[in-house]
Amino acid sequence: MNIANPYSSNCPTRKVLDRVADKWAVLVLGLLIEGPIRFNRLRRAVEGISQKMLSQTLKSLERDGLVSRKAFATVPVTVEYAITPLGQTLAATLDALRVWAETHMEEVTANQQRYDAGAKSDA
Amino acid sequence: MNIANPYSSNCPTRKVLDRVADKWAVLVLGLLIEGPIRFNRLRRAVEGISQKMLSQTLKSLERDGLVSRKAFATVPVTVEYAITPLGQTLAATLDALRVWAETHMEEVTANQQRYDAGAKSDA
DNA sequence: TTACCTGGTTACCTCAAGGAAACCACCATG
DNA sequence: CATGGTGGTTTCCTTGAGGTAACCAGGTAA
């Protein structure tokens, strides 16, 4: 009965999960909740993202209806990306994740070091 | 002063985000919140995961201190994985994500189809 | 005229994630 | 004796994600 059982390999939620489990998408959505923003500004804001990946990320976010694209016929064409209501619901959820990461980062790092040290001294 | 600014490329939260942005980890943690579970049971539960990936996923979850491993010297060695308190806090957050996926899956899929149809008929 | 901004797309190439399958030890059961 | 179940590890190989960089159109400023 679980048409939506992510543990079944052909379940569509897996795809959504994959979508969401995308570092760049998480970061882009995180910026967009603060307001609409242009392509190149976005690119500069998200350190390390390539033009290609940003374009790709935005395209699939738009396809999913999570962000909207609006082009302005200005001097050099201006394109503004904004988050949709649906996107906002996801962004809120993802933000919780970012917060978790920020909150527990130290603890996780400490755990890793302890683990690595232990593995080394193990027989 | 944001030492924890995920938009900076060298920020450690990026690593945590990567860790968390792992389909298998999400699914495994989702199962572990229901209680301790053995390796092979886990493998059968998570459809499509390979032995290697499960082993790898569990190892890094253990390294992060998100799950704990306990081996029993039974007839065939039994190994039980359990979620840690830290892991539970993450699992709760991730669960929200899974719920989001389940809830909005249909809407997202519909958006995709509309987008694809539009792109086709566009000049 | 040349250079640069806008926002992209495309071709090329590399590198690593991850699947498949074999191998491991050990014991029980058929 | 051979097979199967326990929980893994390792090797090999493929494939696709993603980086780099060139190219595009069009207008404007130097």
Side-chain angles (χ1 to χ4, degrees), chain B residues 40 44 51 55 69 76-77 81:
Chain B
N40 275 331
R44 288 184 214 107
Q51 218 162 346
S55 168
R69 204 190 95 113
V77 180
Y81 290 91

PDB file of all heavy atoms in Angstrom, chain B residues 40 44 51 55 69 76-77 81, chain D residues 5-12:
ATOM      1  N   ASN B  40      22.538  -7.785   7.502  1.00  0.00           N
ATOM      2  CA  ASN B  40      21.841  -8.362   6.349  1.00  0.00           C
ATOM      3  C   ASN B  40      20.353  -8.015   6.297  1.00  0.00           C
ATOM      4  O   ASN B  40      19.774  -7.923   5.222  1.00  0.00           O
ATOM      5  CB  ASN B  40      22.035  -9.879   6.310  1.00  0.00           C
ATOM      6  CG  ASN B  40      23.334 -10.229   5.604  1.00  0.00           C
ATOM      7  OD1 ASN B  40      23.797  -9.493   4.737  1.00  0.00           O
ATOM      8  ND2 ASN B  40      23.934 -11.332   6.004  1.00  0.00           N
ATOM      9  N   ARG B  44      18.517  -6.125   3.154  1.00  0.00           N
ATOM     10  CA  ARG B  44      17.289  -6.543   2.484  1.00  0.00           C
ATOM     11  C   ARG B  44      16.216  -5.465   2.555  1.00  0.00           C
ATOM     12  O   ARG B  44      15.388  -5.327   1.670  1.00  0.00           O
ATOM     13  CB  ARG B  44      16.769  -7.830   3.123  1.00  0.00           C
ATOM     14  CG  ARG B  44      17.625  -9.027   2.772  1.00  0.00           C
ATOM     15  CD  ARG B  44      17.067 -10.327   3.328  1.00  0.00           C
ATOM     16  NE  ARG B  44      18.154 -11.236   3.703  1.00  0.00           N
ATOM     17  CZ  ARG B  44      18.494 -11.512   4.949  1.00  0.00           C
ATOM     18  NH1 ARG B  44      17.835 -10.984   5.965  1.00  0.00           N
ATOM     19  NH2 ARG B  44      19.489 -12.335   5.192  1.00  0.00           N
ATOM     20  N   GLN B  51      26.090  -4.499  -1.046  1.00  0.00           N
ATOM     21  CA  GLN B  51      26.778  -4.849   0.184  1.00  0.00           C
ATOM     22  C   GLN B  51      27.866  -3.837   0.485  1.00  0.00           C
ATOM     23  O   GLN B  51      28.022  -3.371   1.603  1.00  0.00           O
ATOM     24  CB  GLN B  51      27.420  -6.229   0.001  1.00  0.00           C
ATOM     25  CG  GLN B  51      27.356  -7.105   1.214  1.00  0.00           C
ATOM     26  CD  GLN B  51      27.607  -8.550   0.839  1.00  0.00           C
ATOM     27  OE1 GLN B  51      27.565  -8.907  -0.347  1.00  0.00           O
ATOM     28  NE2 GLN B  51      27.868  -9.381   1.816  1.00  0.00           N
ATOM     29  N   SER B  55      27.994  -1.364   3.724  1.00  0.00           N
ATOM     30  CA  SER B  55      29.146  -1.443   4.616  1.00  0.00           C
ATOM     31  C   SER B  55      29.815  -0.083   4.749  1.00  0.00           C
ATOM     32  O   SER B  55      30.118   0.391   5.834  1.00  0.00           O
ATOM     33  CB  SER B  55      30.126  -2.466   4.046  1.00  0.00           C
ATOM     34  OG  SER B  55      31.363  -2.378   4.704  1.00  0.00           O
ATOM     35  N   ARG B  69      28.004   0.301  16.542  1.00  0.00           N
ATOM     36  CA  ARG B  69      28.111  -1.064  16.058  1.00  0.00           C
ATOM     37  C   ARG B  69      28.370  -1.991  17.238  1.00  0.00           C
ATOM     38  O   ARG B  69      29.207  -1.686  18.104  1.00  0.00           O
ATOM     39  CB  ARG B  69      29.280  -1.150  15.089  1.00  0.00           C
ATOM     40  CG  ARG B  69      29.214  -2.269  14.101  1.00  0.00           C
ATOM     41  CD  ARG B  69      30.531  -2.394  13.367  1.00  0.00           C
ATOM     42  NE  ARG B  69      31.348  -3.389  14.015  1.00  0.00           N
ATOM     43  CZ  ARG B  69      31.659  -4.553  13.437  1.00  0.00           C
ATOM     44  NH1 ARG B  69      31.254  -4.825  12.222  1.00  0.00           N
ATOM     45  NH2 ARG B  69      32.380  -5.435  14.087  1.00  0.00           N
ATOM     46  N   PRO B  76      26.714 -17.855  13.842  1.00  0.00           N
ATOM     47  CA  PRO B  76      27.359 -16.993  12.860  1.00  0.00           C
ATOM     48  C   PRO B  76      27.405 -15.622  13.512  1.00  0.00           C
ATOM     49  O   PRO B  76      26.455 -15.217  14.155  1.00  0.00           O
ATOM     50  CB  PRO B  76      26.390 -16.987  11.666  1.00  0.00           C
ATOM     51  CG  PRO B  76      25.238 -17.864  12.062  1.00  0.00           C
ATOM     52  CD  PRO B  76      25.278 -18.002  13.552  1.00  0.00           C
ATOM     53  N   VAL B  77      28.514 -14.963  13.413  1.00  0.00           N
ATOM     54  CA  VAL B  77      28.664 -13.662  14.062  1.00  0.00           C
ATOM     55  C   VAL B  77      27.479 -12.762  13.736  1.00  0.00           C
ATOM     56  O   VAL B  77      27.110 -12.605  12.574  1.00  0.00           O
ATOM     57  CB  VAL B  77      29.951 -12.971  13.586  1.00  0.00           C
ATOM     58  CG1 VAL B  77      30.106 -11.618  14.257  1.00  0.00           C
ATOM     59  CG2 VAL B  77      31.157 -13.840  13.845  1.00  0.00           C
ATOM     60  N   TYR B  81      23.418  -2.875  14.481  1.00  0.00           N
ATOM     61  CA  TYR B  81      23.646  -1.445  14.382  1.00  0.00           C
ATOM     62  C   TYR B  81      22.506  -0.705  15.065  1.00  0.00           C
ATOM     63  O   TYR B  81      21.345  -1.069  14.895  1.00  0.00           O
ATOM     64  CB  TYR B  81      23.751  -1.026  12.923  1.00  0.00           C
ATOM     65  CG  TYR B  81      25.017  -1.523  12.276  1.00  0.00           C
ATOM     66  CD1 TYR B  81      25.058  -2.751  11.621  1.00  0.00           C
ATOM     67  CD2 TYR B  81      26.183  -0.777  12.356  1.00  0.00           C
ATOM     68  CE1 TYR B  81      26.235  -3.208  11.057  1.00  0.00           C
ATOM     69  CE2 TYR B  81      27.354  -1.224  11.791  1.00  0.00           C
ATOM     70  CZ  TYR B  81      27.378  -2.438  11.138  1.00  0.00           C
ATOM     71  OH  TYR B  81      28.533  -2.895  10.590  1.00  0.00           O
TER      72      TYR B  81
ATOM     73  P    DG D   5      20.698 -18.868   2.473  1.00  0.00           P
ATOM     74  OP1  DG D   5      19.256 -19.128   2.375  1.00  0.00           O
ATOM     75  OP2  DG D   5      21.422 -18.175   1.359  1.00  0.00           O
ATOM     76  O5'  DG D   5      20.988 -18.034   3.801  1.00  0.00           O
ATOM     77  C5'  DG D   5      20.583 -18.559   5.080  1.00  0.00           C
ATOM     78  C4'  DG D   5      21.612 -18.192   6.103  1.00  0.00           C
ATOM     79  O4'  DG D   5      22.803 -18.979   5.845  1.00  0.00           O
ATOM     80  C3'  DG D   5      22.076 -16.731   5.984  1.00  0.00           C
ATOM     81  O3'  DG D   5      21.561 -15.889   6.999  1.00  0.00           O
ATOM     82  C2'  DG D   5      23.569 -16.793   6.104  1.00  0.00           C
ATOM     83  C1'  DG D   5      23.900 -18.240   6.334  1.00  0.00           C
ATOM     84  N9   DG D   5      25.102 -18.554   5.582  1.00  0.00           N
ATOM     85  C8   DG D   5      25.278 -18.585   4.232  1.00  0.00           C
ATOM     86  N7   DG D   5      26.503 -18.822   3.875  1.00  0.00           N
ATOM     87  C5   DG D   5      27.185 -18.940   5.079  1.00  0.00           C
ATOM     88  C6   DG D   5      28.550 -19.203   5.348  1.00  0.00           C
ATOM     89  O6   DG D   5      29.456 -19.371   4.535  1.00  0.00           O
ATOM     90  N1   DG D   5      28.813 -19.241   6.705  1.00  0.00           N
ATOM     91  C2   DG D   5      27.874 -19.058   7.692  1.00  0.00           C
ATOM     92  N2   DG D   5      28.305 -19.124   8.938  1.00  0.00           N
ATOM     93  N3   DG D   5      26.601 -18.825   7.467  1.00  0.00           N
ATOM     94  C4   DG D   5      26.331 -18.785   6.135  1.00  0.00           C
ATOM     95  P    DT D   6      21.843 -14.337   6.900  1.00  0.00           P
ATOM     96  OP1  DT D   6      20.616 -13.718   7.440  1.00  0.00           O
ATOM     97  OP2  DT D   6      22.327 -14.006   5.555  1.00  0.00           O
ATOM     98  O5'  DT D   6      23.051 -14.045   7.895  1.00  0.00           O
ATOM     99  C5'  DT D   6      23.037 -14.549   9.223  1.00  0.00           C
ATOM    100  C4'  DT D   6      24.388 -14.318   9.859  1.00  0.00           C
ATOM    101  O4'  DT D   6      25.295 -15.333   9.348  1.00  0.00           O
ATOM    102  C3'  DT D   6      25.061 -13.011   9.497  1.00  0.00           C
ATOM    103  O3'  DT D   6      24.656 -11.989  10.379  1.00  0.00           O
ATOM    104  C2'  DT D   6      26.549 -13.335   9.701  1.00  0.00           C
ATOM    105  C1'  DT D   6      26.623 -14.813   9.316  1.00  0.00           C
ATOM    106  N1   DT D   6      27.165 -15.019   7.949  1.00  0.00           N
ATOM    107  C2   DT D   6      28.504 -15.274   7.829  1.00  0.00           C
ATOM    108  O2   DT D   6      29.273 -15.315   8.776  1.00  0.00           O
ATOM    109  N3   DT D   6      28.932 -15.474   6.538  1.00  0.00           N
ATOM    110  C4   DT D   6      28.164 -15.436   5.393  1.00  0.00           C
ATOM    111  O4   DT D   6      28.660 -15.649   4.288  1.00  0.00           O
ATOM    112  C5   DT D   6      26.769 -15.159   5.595  1.00  0.00           C
ATOM    113  C7   DT D   6      25.847 -15.089   4.426  1.00  0.00           C
ATOM    114  C6   DT D   6      26.329 -14.967   6.865  1.00  0.00           C
ATOM    115  P    DG D   7      24.603 -10.515   9.834  1.00  0.00           P
ATOM    116  OP1  DG D   7      24.075  -9.695  10.950  1.00  0.00           O
ATOM    117  OP2  DG D   7      23.908 -10.559   8.535  1.00  0.00           O
ATOM    118  O5'  DG D   7      26.114 -10.102   9.575  1.00  0.00           O
ATOM    119  C5'  DG D   7      27.017 -10.046  10.676  1.00  0.00           C
ATOM    120  C4'  DG D   7      28.398  -9.693  10.167  1.00  0.00           C
ATOM    121  O4'  DG D   7      28.769 -10.659   9.149  1.00  0.00           O
ATOM    122  C3'  DG D   7      28.511  -8.315   9.489  1.00  0.00           C
ATOM    123  O3'  DG D   7      29.782  -7.733   9.788  1.00  0.00           O
ATOM    124  C2'  DG D   7      28.458  -8.660   8.033  1.00  0.00           C
ATOM    125  C1'  DG D   7      29.275  -9.936   8.048  1.00  0.00           C
ATOM    126  N9   DG D   7      29.164 -10.730   6.839  1.00  0.00           N
ATOM    127  C8   DG D   7      28.050 -10.920   6.045  1.00  0.00           C
ATOM    128  N7   DG D   7      28.285 -11.673   5.005  1.00  0.00           N
ATOM    129  C5   DG D   7      29.623 -11.996   5.122  1.00  0.00           C
ATOM    130  C6   DG D   7      30.444 -12.786   4.279  1.00  0.00           C
ATOM    131  O6   DG D   7      30.149 -13.374   3.242  1.00  0.00           O
ATOM    132  N1   DG D   7      31.754 -12.876   4.760  1.00  0.00           N
ATOM    133  C2   DG D   7      32.206 -12.271   5.913  1.00  0.00           C
ATOM    134  N2   DG D   7      33.498 -12.452   6.236  1.00  0.00           N
ATOM    135  N3   DG D   7      31.444 -11.526   6.702  1.00  0.00           N
ATOM    136  C4   DG D   7      30.174 -11.430   6.245  1.00  0.00           C
ATOM    137  P    DG D   8      29.844  -6.082   9.887  1.00  0.00           P
ATOM    138  OP1  DG D   8      31.085  -5.839  10.616  1.00  0.00           O
ATOM    139  OP2  DG D   8      28.556  -5.645  10.436  1.00  0.00           O
ATOM    140  O5'  DG D   8      30.008  -5.332   8.505  1.00  0.00           O
ATOM    141  C5'  DG D   8      30.239  -5.901   7.219  1.00  0.00           C
ATOM    142  C4'  DG D   8      31.585  -6.544   7.110  1.00  0.00           C
ATOM    143  O4'  DG D   8      31.319  -7.837   6.541  1.00  0.00           O
ATOM    144  C3'  DG D   8      32.534  -5.824   6.203  1.00  0.00           C
ATOM    145  O3'  DG D   8      33.652  -5.300   6.895  1.00  0.00           O
ATOM    146  C2'  DG D   8      33.041  -6.883   5.229  1.00  0.00           C
ATOM    147  C1'  DG D   8      32.323  -8.150   5.619  1.00  0.00           C
ATOM    148  N9   DG D   8      31.638  -8.766   4.482  1.00  0.00           N
ATOM    149  C8   DG D   8      30.311  -8.644   4.123  1.00  0.00           C
ATOM    150  N7   DG D   8      30.006  -9.328   3.039  1.00  0.00           N
ATOM    151  C5   DG D   8      31.203  -9.907   2.664  1.00  0.00           C
ATOM    152  C6   DG D   8      31.499 -10.757   1.567  1.00  0.00           C
ATOM    153  O6   DG D   8      30.741 -11.168   0.687  1.00  0.00           O
ATOM    154  N1   DG D   8      32.844 -11.130   1.552  1.00  0.00           N
ATOM    155  C2   DG D   8      33.778 -10.732   2.476  1.00  0.00           C
ATOM    156  N2   DG D   8      35.022 -11.184   2.304  1.00  0.00           N
ATOM    157  N3   DG D   8      33.514  -9.961   3.509  1.00  0.00           N
ATOM    158  C4   DG D   8      32.215  -9.576   3.537  1.00  0.00           C
ATOM    159  P    DT D   9      34.543  -4.190   6.160  1.00  0.00           P
ATOM    160  OP1  DT D   9      35.422  -3.575   7.171  1.00  0.00           O
ATOM    161  OP2  DT D   9      33.633  -3.358   5.368  1.00  0.00           O
ATOM    162  O5'  DT D   9      35.469  -4.994   5.140  1.00  0.00           O
ATOM    163  C5'  DT D   9      36.470  -5.876   5.642  1.00  0.00           C
ATOM    164  C4'  DT D   9      37.315  -6.383   4.471  1.00  0.00           C
ATOM    165  O4'  DT D   9      36.485  -7.168   3.578  1.00  0.00           O
ATOM    166  C3'  DT D   9      37.922  -5.281   3.612  1.00  0.00           C
ATOM    167  O3'  DT D   9      39.268  -5.657   3.311  1.00  0.00           O
ATOM    168  C2'  DT D   9      37.040  -5.249   2.372  1.00  0.00           C
ATOM    169  C1'  DT D   9      36.633  -6.702   2.257  1.00  0.00           C
ATOM    170  N1   DT D   9      35.321  -6.927   1.585  1.00  0.00           N
ATOM    171  C2   DT D   9      35.267  -7.805   0.535  1.00  0.00           C
ATOM    172  O2   DT D   9      36.242  -8.394   0.102  1.00  0.00           O
ATOM    173  N3   DT D   9      34.007  -7.961  -0.007  1.00  0.00           N
ATOM    174  C4   DT D   9      32.833  -7.349   0.390  1.00  0.00           C
ATOM    175  O4   DT D   9      31.774  -7.583  -0.166  1.00  0.00           O
ATOM    176  C5   DT D   9      32.984  -6.435   1.504  1.00  0.00           C
ATOM    177  C7   DT D   9      31.779  -5.712   2.019  1.00  0.00           C
ATOM    178  C6   DT D   9      34.193  -6.272   2.041  1.00  0.00           C
ATOM    179  P    DT D  10      40.232  -4.611   2.603  1.00  0.00           P
ATOM    180  OP1  DT D  10      41.580  -4.808   3.159  1.00  0.00           O
ATOM    181  OP2  DT D  10      39.597  -3.273   2.614  1.00  0.00           O
ATOM    182  O5'  DT D  10      40.224  -5.147   1.100  1.00  0.00           O
ATOM    183  C5'  DT D  10      40.502  -6.519   0.847  1.00  0.00           C
ATOM    184  C4'  DT D  10      40.404  -6.785  -0.643  1.00  0.00           C
ATOM    185  O4'  DT D  10      39.016  -6.992  -1.024  1.00  0.00           O
ATOM    186  C3'  DT D  10      40.914  -5.644  -1.534  1.00  0.00           C
ATOM    187  O3'  DT D  10      41.704  -6.184  -2.578  1.00  0.00           O
ATOM    188  C2'  DT D  10      39.640  -5.016  -2.084  1.00  0.00           C
ATOM    189  C1'  DT D  10      38.732  -6.242  -2.181  1.00  0.00           C
ATOM    190  N1   DT D  10      37.281  -5.931  -2.175  1.00  0.00           N
ATOM    191  C2   DT D  10      36.450  -6.637  -3.012  1.00  0.00           C
ATOM    192  O2   DT D  10      36.835  -7.507  -3.764  1.00  0.00           O
ATOM    193  N3   DT D  10      35.124  -6.292  -2.919  1.00  0.00           N
ATOM    194  C4   DT D  10      34.560  -5.316  -2.103  1.00  0.00           C
ATOM    195  O4   DT D  10      33.353  -5.099  -2.117  1.00  0.00           O
ATOM    196  C5   DT D  10      35.497  -4.616  -1.256  1.00  0.00           C
ATOM    197  C7   DT D  10      35.000  -3.547  -0.342  1.00  0.00           C
ATOM    198  C6   DT D  10      36.791  -4.947  -1.330  1.00  0.00           C
ATOM    199  P    DT D  11      42.689  -5.233  -3.408  1.00  0.00           P
ATOM    200  OP1  DT D  11      44.066  -5.504  -2.967  1.00  0.00           O
ATOM    201  OP2  DT D  11      42.174  -3.845  -3.363  1.00  0.00           O
ATOM    202  O5'  DT D  11      42.499  -5.782  -4.889  1.00  0.00           O
ATOM    203  C5'  DT D  11      41.988  -7.098  -5.100  1.00  0.00           C
ATOM    204  C4'  DT D  11      41.143  -7.126  -6.363  1.00  0.00           C
ATOM    205  O4'  DT D  11      39.761  -6.836  -6.032  1.00  0.00           O
ATOM    206  C3'  DT D  11      41.545  -6.098  -7.418  1.00  0.00           C
ATOM    207  O3'  DT D  11      41.666  -6.728  -8.680  1.00  0.00           O
ATOM    208  C2'  DT D  11      40.413  -5.100  -7.410  1.00  0.00           C
ATOM    209  C1'  DT D  11      39.235  -5.982  -7.026  1.00  0.00           C
ATOM    210  N1   DT D  11      38.071  -5.261  -6.441  1.00  0.00           N
ATOM    211  C2   DT D  11      36.810  -5.579  -6.891  1.00  0.00           C
ATOM    212  O2   DT D  11      36.594  -6.418  -7.747  1.00  0.00           O
ATOM    213  N3   DT D  11      35.799  -4.875  -6.299  1.00  0.00           N
ATOM    214  C4   DT D  11      35.930  -3.896  -5.327  1.00  0.00           C
ATOM    215  O4   DT D  11      34.938  -3.340  -4.869  1.00  0.00           O
ATOM    216  C5   DT D  11      37.283  -3.611  -4.898  1.00  0.00           C
ATOM    217  C7   DT D  11      37.515  -2.562  -3.860  1.00  0.00           C
ATOM    218  C6   DT D  11      38.283  -4.297  -5.469  1.00  0.00           C
ATOM    219  P    DC D  12      42.476  -6.005  -9.850  1.00  0.00           P
ATOM    220  OP1  DC D  12      43.616  -6.869 -10.239  1.00  0.00           O
ATOM    221  OP2  DC D  12      42.711  -4.594  -9.478  1.00  0.00           O
ATOM    222  O5'  DC D  12      41.390  -6.041 -11.012  1.00  0.00           O
ATOM    223  C5'  DC D  12      40.377  -7.067 -11.023  1.00  0.00           C
ATOM    224  C4'  DC D  12      39.132  -6.547 -11.706  1.00  0.00           C
ATOM    225  O4'  DC D  12      38.266  -5.899 -10.737  1.00  0.00           O
ATOM    226  C3'  DC D  12      39.389  -5.505 -12.802  1.00  0.00           C
ATOM    227  O3'  DC D  12      38.713  -5.890 -13.991  1.00  0.00           O
ATOM    228  C2'  DC D  12      38.839  -4.208 -12.231  1.00  0.00           C
ATOM    229  C1'  DC D  12      37.727  -4.729 -11.328  1.00  0.00           C
ATOM    230  N1   DC D  12      37.324  -3.798 -10.244  1.00  0.00           N
ATOM    231  C2   DC D  12      35.950  -3.565 -10.012  1.00  0.00           C
ATOM    232  O2   DC D  12      35.122  -4.145 -10.715  1.00  0.00           O
ATOM    233  N3   DC D  12      35.590  -2.703  -9.025  1.00  0.00           N
ATOM    234  C4   DC D  12      36.520  -2.100  -8.286  1.00  0.00           C
ATOM    235  N4   DC D  12      36.114  -1.277  -7.335  1.00  0.00           N
ATOM    236  C5   DC D  12      37.917  -2.329  -8.501  1.00  0.00           C
ATOM    237  C6   DC D  12      38.273  -3.178  -9.483  1.00  0.00           C
TER     238       DC D  12
END
